[in-house]
Amino acid sequence: LSPVCLGNLRRAASINAEYMGTLLFFGGLFVLVAALSELGLIREIGRLIADIVKASEPDARLSVACVTILWVSAVVSGFLSNIAFAATMAPVIKIVGEDTELGLPMAPLAWSLCFGTCLGGNLTLIGSAANLIAAGVAQHNGMHISFVAFFKVGGPVWVITNIIAMFWLLAVYVWRDFILSKIICFVA
C-alpha cells in the first residue's frame, strides 16, 4: 500500500511542478483585477457605461446598454481574467439595471455581461483560464503557442462570435416584437 501512496505523491508533485507557472499566473491575474477594483477602475467602467446609456435616446437605451456592455466586457475580458472581471462587473450591472432613470430590464444586461465575458476570453491567450491551461499542456508536449499566434486565431473568432451574440441579444430583447409582428403578418 505504501508504494502506491508514494507513487501518487510523486505524481502529484510532478503535476504541481509542471503547472505551477500557470497557477501563479492565475493568482496574479486575480490580484490584478482586485487591485484595479480597489483603485476604482471597475467602478469607473460601470459609471462610463451608465453615462453612455443615459446619453442615448430613451427608445434606444436598451440597445445601447446591451451593445456597450457586451463589447466593453469582451474587450476587457480579452486581457484580464474573464472570471474575475465578471464577478467584479456583476454588481455594476445590477446598479445599471436598478437605475430608475434608465428603467432597463436586468435579463438583457446580465446576458450581455455573460456573453461579453465568456466570448471575450477568446481574444487573447491570457483572456481565459482554459486558454492558459491548454497552452501549458501544449508547451509541456513540445508545442509553443505564443500570445501573437493565439491572437491571430482568437481575434477573428472573437469578432465573429461577439457579432453573433450582439445580434442575438438585439433580436431577443430589442427587436422581438417587431420580428414577431412580421412573422405573424407573413403567416396570416
Side-chain angles (χ1 to χ4, degrees):
L1 183 63
S2 88
V4 172
C5 291
L6 189 57
N8 287 338
L9 287 175
R10 284 189 190 127
R11 191 174 1 198
S14 168
I15 290 171
N16 286 341
E18 272 178 44
Y19 300 109
M20 190 55 69
T22 303
L23 293 173
L24 289 173
F25 185 76
F26 279 127
L29 279 177
F30 279 98
V31 169
L32 175 65
V33 171
L36 293 175
S37 181
E38 284 298 316
L39 290 172
L41 180 66
I42 305 296
R43 189 172 32 259
E44 188 62 25
I45 290 172
R47 188 193 61 73
L48 179 65
I49 290 170
D51 289 348
I52 290 170
V53 174
K54 286 178 182 176
S56 64
E57 294 293 321
D59 291 344
R61 285 184 174 170
L62 182 57
S63 301
V64 170
C66 287
V67 170
T68 303
I69 292 167
L70 172 75
W71 286 101
V72 167
S73 299
V75 170
V76 174
S77 291
F79 295 96
L80 295 177
S81 168
N82 56 0
I83 298 167
F85 180 74
T88 309
M89 281 297 290
V92 172
I93 298 304
K94 185 176 181 200
I95 291 168
V96 173
E98 292 174 348
D99 188 326
T100 55
E101 182 184 341
L102 293 175
L104 299 174
M106 185 63 76
L109 305 179
W111 275 110
S112 298
L113 178 63
C114 288
F115 281 133
T117 54
C118 177
L119 300 173
N122 294 330
L123 181 59
T124 66
L125 187 58
I126 62 171
S128 170
N131 299 349
L132 290 170
I133 291 169
V137 170
Q139 183 73 35
H140 178 70
N141 290 297
M143 182 180 154
H144 177 71
I145 302 173
S146 71
F147 186 88
V148 173
F150 187 93
F151 182 76
K152 286 179 180 178
V153 175
V157 169
W158 176 83
V159 170
I160 292 165
T161 56
N162 277 288
I163 288 172
I164 291 168
M166 180 181 69
F167 281 113
W168 183 87
L169 286 164
L170 293 172
V172 170
Y173 291 108
V174 179
W175 305 330
R176 177 185 54 216
D177 294 337
F178 175 77
I179 292 170
L180 289 175
S181 69
K182 294 300 178 187
I183 291 171
I184 291 170
C185 287
F186 180 74
V187 172

